[in-house]
Amino acid sequence: MPIFLEKDGKTLHLQNKQISYVLSIEKDKYVCHRYWGRRLESFNGSTQLQMIDRGFATNPFPEERVFSLNALPLETSTQQSGDHRIANYTIRSHTNQTRTDFIFKKFDILSGKQPLKGLPTLEGEDTTVTTLIITLYDDIQQLEMKLYYHLYEQLPVITRHVAFLNHGQQDVFLDNAGSLQVDIAAATFDLLTLYGSHTNEANISRRKLQNGIQKIESTRGVSSPQHQPFLALLNPNTDEFSGEVRAFHLIYSGNFQAQVEVEQYGSARVQLGINTEGFSWKLSPGGSFDTPEAVMVYSNHGLNEMSHTFHTLYQQYLCPKSFRNQERPIVLNTWEANYFDISEEKSEKLAEAAAQIGIEMFVLDDGWFGKRNDDTSSLGDWMENKDKLPNGIAGLAETVKNKGMKFGLWFEPEMISPNSELFKAHPDWVIHTHGYKPIEGRRQLVLDLSNPEVQEFLINVLSKYLITGKIDYIKWDMNRHLTDIGSTAFPKDQQGEISHRYILGLYRILDTLVKQFPNVLFENCSSGGGRFDPGMMHYMAQTWTSDNTDALCRTKIQYGYSLLFPPIMMGAHVSSVPNHQVGRITSLETRGRVAMSGNLGYELDLTEAAEEELREIENQISFYKQQRKLFQFGKFYRLKAPGEYFESAWMFKNEKEAIIVYFNGIARPAVPVNYLPVYYLEDLAIYKDLATGRLYSGSELNYAGVTIPRVKEDYKTLIYHFEKVEPQTNKT
């Protein structure tokens, strides 16, 4: 059994072939953290808890001055009981007091894991996951707290969430409902997070943990491009290739907080969950509340191993089943080609040009509906503009399919324009605060997805188009953050629930559509990577990574996101130059090779491209199709992080071959001799360089490396393509 009780009768050991996670029950009441790291054969208490009589410490057992919650390594916090560190829950009683006293009652061990109602969760069969449930109870208020631990037996992964249940006779309010807390008896770590902004997502931040609280969060209604709901603790010597990593990721798309507190005695408390700002949940008698699922990943072979675990976990256990093993199509998106200036004639010409060079999916972006000629109107009026499309969406889709391509369509379902027929009919469907005029963003407001009526409206709108069978792909956009958080669908004592209920409403809509139309490929988008999180990946197999399509910027953005998500989940398009976001000019070769390192597509006007450009694009598409399985399903390894001159490198590898993509960044004088070690090929195998025909042992490429030639050109990319031709025997 991978979860078992140690001989002392109070220590629970979660163990697989890679990791151990150890808990103990102290004083038959408190759940304490004892160990998380490389697998232990057994745990007999070699790291004893230190009990010291400390100043300003309170004592739940008065006769024991050395026992205090002030420094106990807890798996969940306490309230008003002497644990003054960051909290993982706050429960406010009907008398507005926040004291609780949860006592350990029992634990249960089960095979498999059950999905969370209304929330995205990782799958887990009886043969792959074992679940530990620890039940705590507050006898005074008759409240129950269940701590869930799901151990993946083939991966160094534990997922966690918390359930709160009210068995009492009075309403209580959850003002803080965290998914995960862990106290680690050390603080000599580096903190790794991903930060950014629109068009500048997924920058890597690494800094030494300091005393006090280090926190990232979103209060924008979505997970946001500003911070990914992720943090990792690294040993100071950890890099891509070696060293310990303890990583945390929240499967949630709304307001979150992720924080670490280095407390007074040198330990680190990690807490992750829904953001407490503006959050409150009314828990009535008989009611329950489940927190989002949080993922914990351990690696003792650096960041690349951490990433492989996340990639495997999300590809095999999170994303929609229909697309887990399905190759992604090469897309042409009309946005940067036409913007709002859409017509049937232009679309047909563009589709014809796309079909001739091997594009597989034609996607009609914004501008096809209502009176949508710019971004000031018509969101919510999802009827074809017959002046632009006389034969409607169905007619254009049929034309595209007759050219041998699939057809995709853009929507921004969560938004509504004040200048729309829908707003005139249903002004009460807008998220707004009573008495205040709602604030616009991009001349649009946000539909109240907490309202079941709005949810049904959107399900019906999307279903009307999808039920025709002519639409193979939906680009689901979301282009502003939430303000004026309030809803007419709920009473005043539940207004603190609206932000979370918005996300639950979004998940219900997506769950309904994905189950009804399992073969439609949904692409998640929020002005690019504004809501690129595992919660959305549960419903949508890929995400438009960033509105910024500049090749140099994309090397950094895709590098950052690859910490967590496999390249097959990242939409990456070749666009025209000068680049529309930064004005930079890069070669078509470089734009293509960087885009191939994600999910390849194109976003430019092929009808205006020169014949020479069309042939080069056609060659790119042909090469990508030949290597698509390697790019989309091979293991991805980061070999060199973008530095001062933006030089970077990564590799795609499977059992038979490997492709290394090297990006030189900005050219510079007096460049040192540059050899790039590959690290991850098989030492005892022979590899053929398909460009030169030369043969090398895997060990030579791994440790001596490949020569990077002198490049006198900005933003040049190089590709090294190796094929394994035979195993190598040891030489004597």
Side-chain angles (χ1 to χ4, degrees):
M1 196 70 167
I3 300 177
F4 57 90
L5 198 64
E6 291 282 8
K7 295 177 182 178
D8 63 2
K10 68 172 188 176
T11 302
L12 287 159
H13 191 157
L14 292 75
Q15 178 197 75
N16 63 23
K17 292 180 180 179
Q18 297 163 282
I19 60 169
S20 284
Y21 193 95
V22 182
L23 310 169
S24 66
I25 312 302
E26 300 298 323
K27 302 292 188 183
D28 297 322
K29 181 174 183 178
Y30 304 106
V31 185
C32 290
H33 179 81
R34 304 300 298 275
Y35 175 82
W36 174 32
R38 295 178 65 169
R39 172 190 166 97
L40 307 176
E41 293 305 314
S42 62
F43 183 85
N44 295 310
S46 62
T47 54
Q48 295 181 5
L49 295 177
Q50 286 194 327
M51 301 298 178
I52 300 172
D53 184 358
R54 299 191 185 272
F56 294 99
T58 52
N59 310 113
F61 304 95
E63 68 282 2
E64 294 189 49
R65 288 276 300 268
V66 298
F67 188 90
S68 172
L69 303 181
N70 197 37
L72 205 63
L74 297 166
E75 286 283 298
T76 185
S77 54
T78 64
Q79 285 186 195
Q80 302 294 328
S81 301
D83 178 12
H84 298 285
R85 294 162 289 179
I86 52 179
N88 198 46
Y89 74 90
T90 304
I91 298 175
R92 180 164 44 90
S93 71
H94 70 285
T95 61
N96 263 352
Q97 295 175 320
T98 59
R99 171 70 196 272
T100 56
D101 191 20
F102 282 97
I103 297 172
F104 170 79
K105 289 296 183 185
K106 64 172 184 172
F107 71 87
D108 297 287
I109 299 171
L110 309 172
S111 295
K113 70 193 290 277
Q114 296 298 313
L116 285 171
K117 185 179 179 181
L119 286 165
T121 51
L122 292 157
E123 291 182 0
E125 304 296 332
D126 289 356
T127 56
T128 58
V129 177
T130 304
T131 296
L132 169 67
I133 308 170
I134 296 177
T135 301
L136 309 171
Y137 204 82
D138 182 315
D139 292 316
I140 304 298
Q141 298 187 68
Q142 296 179 39
L143 302 174
E144 188 175 56
M145 182 193 304
K146 291 180 178 289
L147 308 180
Y148 285 81
Y149 300 78
H150 306 290
L151 175 66
Y152 280 75
E153 296 181 23
Q154 303 304 318
L155 293 167
V157 170
I158 295 170
T159 72
R160 292 177 58 179
H161 72 277
V162 181
F164 297 92
L165 301 92
N166 184 357
H167 299 291
Q169 303 301 312
Q170 303 287 343
D171 294 336
V172 299
F173 291 85
L174 288 172
D175 292 336
N176 177 11
S179 297
L180 170 153
Q181 176 190 301
V182 58
D183 286 345
I184 301 172
T188 56
F189 299 113
D190 288 351
L191 174 65
L192 185 76
T193 60
L194 295 175
Y195 72 95
S197 65
H198 175 229
T199 69
N200 185 32
E201 298 90 347
N203 295 278
I204 297 173
S205 169
R206 180 171 179 169
R207 56 206 184 273
K208 181 180 172 58
L209 275 184
Q210 302 292 328
N211 288 327
I213 298 171
Q214 286 107 111
K215 179 180 182 181
I216 57 168
E217 63 179 343
S218 173
T219 58
R220 297 167 179 268
V222 297
S223 51
S224 86
Q226 280 71 31
H227 295 286
Q228 179 71 202
F230 155 82
L231 63 83
L233 300 182
L234 283 59
N235 285 1
N237 62 344
T238 295
D239 58 19
E240 293 282 14
F241 315 105
S242 64
E244 282 193 306
V245 182
R246 292 170 176 85
F248 306 84
H249 205 192
L250 188 65
I251 304 178
Y252 188 61
S253 307
N255 293 338
F256 75 90
Q257 61 187 23
Q259 51 189 332
V260 185
E261 180 177 7
V262 177
E263 56 87 58
Q264 58 186 328
Y265 302 119
S267 69
R269 170 170 289 184
V270 178
Q271 189 271 334
L272 185 63
I274 296 171
N275 201 314
T276 57
E277 185 172 331
F279 171 80
S280 180
W281 191 273
K282 183 179 178 180
L283 199 60
S284 298
S288 64
F289 182 88
D290 290 314
T291 70
E293 187 168 30
V295 181
M296 303 171 63
V297 169
Y298 173 79
S299 165
N300 66 328
H301 293 292
L303 290 166
N304 269 316
E305 184 181 72
M306 176 203 77
S307 297
H308 292 157
T309 299
F310 277 120
H311 294 183
T312 300
L313 189 70
Y314 292 162
Q315 188 67 13
Q316 293 185 4
Y317 298 101
L318 181 68
C319 87
K321 284 184 178 179
S322 299
F323 295 97
R324 288 179 187 175
N325 301 305
Q326 188 176 121
E327 294 179 5
R328 303 292 196 271
I330 300 169
V331 167
L332 176 73
N333 185 285
T334 65
W335 179 241
E336 288 195 18
N338 301 133
Y339 291 104
F340 295 102
D341 188 17
I342 283 173
S343 72
E344 193 165 87
E345 181 182 6
K346 284 182 178 180
S347 296
E348 289 180 357
K349 287 181 179 178
L350 193 55
E352 178 63 30
Q356 288 181 2
I357 61 172
I359 297 287
E360 299 164 321
M361 176 87 73
F362 181 87
V363 179
L364 187 67
D365 210 283
D366 198 355
W368 58 268
F369 56 93
K371 300 175 182 177
R372 186 76 163 174
N373 296 312
D374 54 35
D375 63 3
T376 65
S377 75
S378 300
L379 289 174
D381 298 341
W382 300 108
M383 297 83 68
E384 302 107 320
N385 183 324
K386 289 300 183 73
D387 291 332
K388 294 183 176 184
L389 304 172
N391 294 299
I393 291 298
L396 179 59
E398 193 66 32
T399 298
V400 168
K401 288 176 180 294
N402 288 338
K403 297 180 187 298
M405 294 184 294
K406 294 182 177 182
F407 181 77
L409 192 59
W410 178 94
F411 283 90
E412 192 173 0
E414 300 164 66
M415 299 298 146
I416 182 171
S417 301
N419 181 13
S420 68
E421 296 304 314
L422 183 64
F423 185 75
K424 291 175 186 176
H426 295 286
D428 57 319
W429 279 7
V430 170
I431 281 185
H432 67 284
T433 305
H434 180 71
Y436 292 87
K437 182 180 178 180
I439 296 171
E440 294 183 22
R442 300 179 78 249
R443 300 301 300 273
Q444 61 195 49
L445 301 171
V446 184
L447 284 172
D448 180 8
L449 268 57
S450 72
N451 185 338
E453 279 189 273
V454 176
Q455 296 169 24
E456 290 300 322
F457 168 76
L458 292 178
I459 290 169
N460 291 334
V461 165
L462 273 293
S463 297
K464 182 185 75 170
Y465 285 96
L466 293 173
I467 206 167
T468 65
K470 295 182 182 295
I471 296 172
D472 306 290
Y473 167 108
I474 293 291
K475 181 179 178 181
W476 183 297
D477 214 341
M478 196 274 191
N479 287 315
R480 65 153 290 185
H481 292 153
L482 274 59
T483 56
D484 308 283
I485 307 298
S487 172
T488 58
F490 293 90
K492 63 182 181 180
D493 62 351
Q494 289 185 264
Q495 292 300 301
E497 302 174 12
I498 303 306
S499 290
H500 183 55
R501 285 189 180 275
Y502 179 96
I503 297 299
L504 295 179
L506 172 64
Y507 289 155
R508 176 180 172 249
I509 295 165
L510 292 174
D511 188 62
T512 302
L513 293 172
V514 168
K515 286 177 178 174
Q516 188 176 352
F517 306 102
N519 297 318
V520 174
L521 176 58
F522 285 82
E523 180 170 273
N524 168 42
C525 178
S526 179
S527 285
R531 195 166 56 186
F532 194 164
D533 61 67
M536 296 303 290
M537 300 312 295
H538 180 69
Y539 309 100
M540 302 187 180
Q542 62 192 53
T543 291
W544 177 230
T545 313
S546 176
D547 279 348
N548 187 345
T549 54
D550 171 64
L552 184 150
C553 294
R554 271 307 190 100
T555 60
K556 291 184 62 184
I557 294 168
Q558 290 169 211
Y559 197 102
Y561 275 130
S562 76
L563 286 172
L564 302 169
F565 302 103
I568 193 173
M569 291 184 173
M570 298 184 218
H573 292 179
V574 176
S575 61
S576 60
V577 291
N579 177 264
H580 290 204
Q581 290 77 45
V582 299
R584 196 180 344 266
I585 296 175
T586 54
S587 70
L588 184 54
E589 177 186 69
T590 286
R591 282 175 276 150
R593 288 174 173 177
V594 172
M596 286 178 200
S597 298
N599 207 334
L600 177 65
Y602 291 82
E603 194 152 339
L604 39 74
D605 191 348
L606 296 174
T607 65
E608 293 187 353
E611 187 65 25
E612 181 182 336
E613 289 180 305
L614 290 174
R615 297 291 72 80
E616 186 171 353
I617 292 172
E618 187 175 24
N619 290 335
Q620 288 178 356
I621 290 171
S622 176
F623 174 75
Y624 186 75
K625 287 179 178 178
Q626 293 171 30
Q627 303 301 328
R628 177 159 28 199
K629 280 188 168 61
L630 177 57
F631 280 119
Q632 294 190 355
F633 297 102
K635 273 195 169 184
F636 178 83
Y637 299 85
R638 294 176 302 273
L639 302 179
K640 189 173 183 59
E644 181 182 359
Y645 298 99
F646 304 100
E647 177 191 21
S648 59
W650 47 62
M651 178 173 67
F652 299 84
K653 174 183 173 291
N654 60 23
E655 290 300 314
K656 297 180 179 179
E657 57 189 323
I659 290 178
I660 298 166
V661 181
Y662 170 84
F663 180 74
N664 78 301
I666 299 172
R668 55 202 186 276
V671 179
V673 175
N674 193 354
Y675 301 109
L676 180 69
V678 177
Y679 294 109
Y680 295 104
L681 300 180
E682 296 175 34
D683 282 351
L684 302 179
I686 298 296
Y687 290 87
K688 181 180 180 180
D689 184 334
L690 295 184
T692 67
R694 296 189 66 174
L695 301 178
Y696 305 95
S697 70
S699 60
E700 180 180 358
L701 296 172
N702 284 341
Y703 312 123
V706 297
T707 300
I708 303 299
R710 172 75 182 277
V711 179
K712 295 183 179 181
E713 177 187 341
D714 286 343
Y715 323 124
K716 175 73 173 175
T717 52
L718 304 172
I719 278 187
Y720 298 84
H721 192 178
F722 295 101
E723 184 178 63
K724 186 169 70 172
V725 293
E726 61 180 82
Q728 178 185 345
T729 58
N730 286 316
K731 295 181 179 179
T732 58

